[in-house]
Amino acid sequence: MLPHLVKAASATALETAKYALARVRERDAATRDQRRADAILAFLTRMGPLYIKIGQIAATRSDLLPAEWVSTLRSLHDRTPHMSPQRTRRAVERELGDALESVFSAFELRPVASASVAQVHKATLRDGREVAVKLVKDGVPAQIEESLRTLGTLVRLVHRGVPRARGLNLPTRFDELARLLRPQADMKHEARQQQRIHTNFADHPYVRVPAVLPELVTGRMLVMEFMDGIPGNRAETVGFPRERLARRLQDVVYTMLYMHGFSHGDPHPGNILFTPEGELVLLDFGVTVELSENEKWGLSSFYYACIRKEWSLASERFTRHFVLTSPELEARRAEYDRQMVEILRHHFDINSTQWSSMTYVGDVLKLLGQYDAQYTTNFTKVELVFLSSEGFVTQIDPGINIWANARKFTDRYSPYMSAEVESRFAAGFAQQMPATLELRERARDTLVAPGHADRYFFPSSFPVFVRQASGGRVRDFDGNDYLDLCGGYGPHLLGYAHPAINTAISSALERGLVNGIGNPHEVELAELLVDSLPTAEKALMCNSGTEAILFAVRMCRGYRRRSMVAKFEGHYHGFSDQGMVSSWFRFSGEKDRPEPIAGSLGSDPGTVDNTLVLQYGDLGGLSRLREHADELACVLLEPMPTSVVTLDVPFLAELRALCTELGIPLVFDEVVSGFRVAYGGVQSMVDIHPDLTCLGKVIGGGLPCGAVVGRAEFIDMAKSSQDPFYDYENKVFAGGTLSGNSLTCAAGSAVLRHLQGNPQLYTQLEENTRTLAAMLRESALQRDIACRINARNSIFSLTFSHREATLYRERMAGSNFKATIALAYYMRKHQVYLPELHSFLISAAHTAGDLDEIAGAFEKSLDEMLTDGLFVV
């Protein structure tokens, strides 16, 4: 027994000794790591601001670096060496050009934070406002330039001397980073960038950006409103769920990149404060990132393919947008694509829960090096943002699934946040409308329906097939009654099956449908149209709003003997090549000088290039009409763009005056707004009149109809002179077998007579519009959901966005498309038919009770969307 006890005791002693030795080694290793971390901190601090910036990024990478390194380097976020109080006072007074007390009643000379470039002081203005004063440290601008020169030389030496490094294209990538980093010490530049981001987040539910005091900004000093909060490197002390805080931070960064196209370039913990309520305060805009429209498109389209696991397509898009190919890559493209697909599948699928931009980029660069190809520099700036933000969010919530949270942005045109939500919708609608879904499947065999089920860009996953329509409601083949907020995209202003329209159609049918031969209804409708528009003299009938636009443009080209057309970004004028230019969600060029871009594959490039694109509401941009006055056939626009429901009367007045001065015909597209917003349309409301007006929708009473109405000298361009030789040389052709047919014109005349005799309908429509809009806004406000609702004269535009945008592209870029599309299906569950588009309509048939029902469905939908994770809260 004793030998066994001795043996056991010896074994225990040996294990104890091993354990003790292991602990000693761990302590020694920890001590070594700490000594190394201290040495790195001292080195980076001594070397200056750019090296400190590298340390700031490293301090967010707890997933890659030893804990001692990360903990030590965090001091670089806001605790770097600062100027003495005496030196600080001299620097402030140098910038003020006066004594410090001339502007400030109090000034704390010891900074509240000090980072790589500047230090921040708390102060009080003489009027009592608390402010933060950001002051560039003496000597920093020169240090930045010296560091950039030194690093630039080193990078070029490595590029020339290390063959394997050449494929990384380091000099070009460094130059791109240098361009971003150089303005850090220019406070005037930073003030402009800060104010832009302040404006973008002005009404955001949980993001705050200090407003700049421009009168106190100099080249080396920036004064802004003071905002207090918990430093980012102490996020664990914020009394707010950490997983929600991390998601909010990721959401904010992705919102800036994907939606605003203008982002904080360095979102590390030293540049972000948190409030106890979970708000984010963004600070320090010395480095910002701006993406062009093409870059945003490339970023979104690539990630969208990855979300759908369409790896070959993702590889093609990545290579097209982000890779400078080489002859070797093109020669071995199939092999390259196979390897790229494996990289994408590994990072975006197999290992997506452990997403890391750093390792992904590293793998891609290694692959490109094998083919002597290069990664473009366009997204070097985006990499910088991703590296900083990903490290930060994983520090806040180590379990965060970055890739899953990114789906709101990368899969932005899909209405579903998860497979679970999608399957729940499918199961619910299978019970709610099985016969309707059976029709959907039947239609897929033979029918392409671009007006609803197969709609361009926004196809309907769960379309409604209507069995009966009456008043403001439609009924499907399962007996479901839906309050209809589509109205056939506009024609059914009076509601479905209105007695005045039905009577007119029945009477016309009894007399026989006439087309291609004169009929009195055609004359009557033309008379009603001309009489309704004060400056109109004649009308030409056609079959749709698209045809009306085509004819109006042709008339103007013939009259002016010029071919260029000026139109406005985001204004849709039907499906013609000209009408769709820059009308959708794809934009090009700077926002103040848009460039034309095709609305669809198959558009004639010459037509697209022959279009001058302007911005609605941009008075300064109208100067471009003077630049092109001798080339322009006409100016075409929606006076009240229905996709965003805005009306800028001073802008319209200036445009009318300028077109008159330059002799350029002005064409109003009132296909939607004509007789819907008022009898005679927008022009009658604002007393600003075009040379030609294009009409459709309402004027046909629900039947296909269009018209061009306006001055005789233009309409007569389509009237024969009875001299065929003269006509060919001086007239334009306008035709259409069913144009002006008796059935359509009878229905249209009945609608206009009814509207003319019942002007109170417009008053009631406007009152109902205000009432419903107020109810919808209140529902969103109560739930802290950022929702923009523009509404007037029966037309609504709804988008989930925090930003009040003035330009169409900004409104579209700031929209949560995923939530906006999903809303249509949630509302459909609650018996309200909302189109999957950006706008909807009410009719004169909708009652006060209907409005309450719509508002109730909206409330239920928002609650369900919150539960399903379509909003970050």
Side-chain angles (χ1 to χ4, degrees), residues 513-554:
L513 173 59
V514 176
N515 61 282
I517 308 175
N519 69 86
H521 300 298
E522 184 179 17
V523 178
E524 181 185 13
L525 182 56
E527 290 171 344
L528 286 166
L529 293 174
V530 169
D531 288 346
S532 69
L533 305 177
T535 60
E537 296 170 318
K538 290 189 176 181
L540 178 145
M541 307 307 300
C542 53
N543 293 298
S544 69
T546 294
E547 286 189 13
I549 297 294
L550 284 166
F551 287 151
V553 169
R554 183 178 293 173

Side-chain angles (χ1 to χ4, degrees), residues 547-684:
E547 286 189 13
I549 297 294
L550 284 166
F551 287 151
V553 169
R554 183 178 293 173
M555 289 171 184
C556 292
R557 282 179 169 149
Y559 183 86
R560 286 270 291 171
R561 307 294 175 117
R562 290 163 176 82
S563 60
M564 180 178 282
V565 173
K567 74 178 297 288
F568 291 78
E569 192 170 79
H571 291 210
Y572 171 69
H573 303 293
F575 57 75
S576 69
D577 291 354
Q578 192 91 65
M580 290 196 301
V581 171
S582 299
S583 291
W584 298 97
F585 307 98
R586 184 78 162 93
F587 308 112
S588 184
E590 299 299 319
K591 65 180 182 181
D592 56 344
R593 293 186 74 87
E595 296 174 2
I597 189 165
S600 164
L601 178 68
S603 296
D604 172 44
T607 300
V608 176
D609 293 342
N610 208 25
T611 308
L612 175 68
V613 182
L614 306 173
Q615 294 286 17
Y616 182 90
D618 179 14
L619 283 168
L622 293 180
S623 63
R624 298 176 70 196
L625 293 178
R626 291 190 183 278
E627 298 172 18
H628 296 275
D630 289 338
E631 305 166 72
L632 285 167
C634 63
V635 176
L636 170 66
L637 81 159
E638 295 179 82
M640 189 178 87
T642 51
S643 59
V644 292
V645 192
T646 184
L647 178 59
D648 190 330
V649 178
F651 176 78
L652 292 176
E654 179 63 24
L655 176 61
R656 173 66 276 182
L658 187 58
C659 286
T660 300
E661 176 194 338
L662 300 175
I664 303 171
L666 179 60
V667 182
F668 277 5
D669 175 353
E670 293 224 49
V671 172
V672 175
S673 60
F675 297 96
R676 171 169 283 277
V677 302
Y679 193 81
V682 173
Q683 56 194 280
S684 298

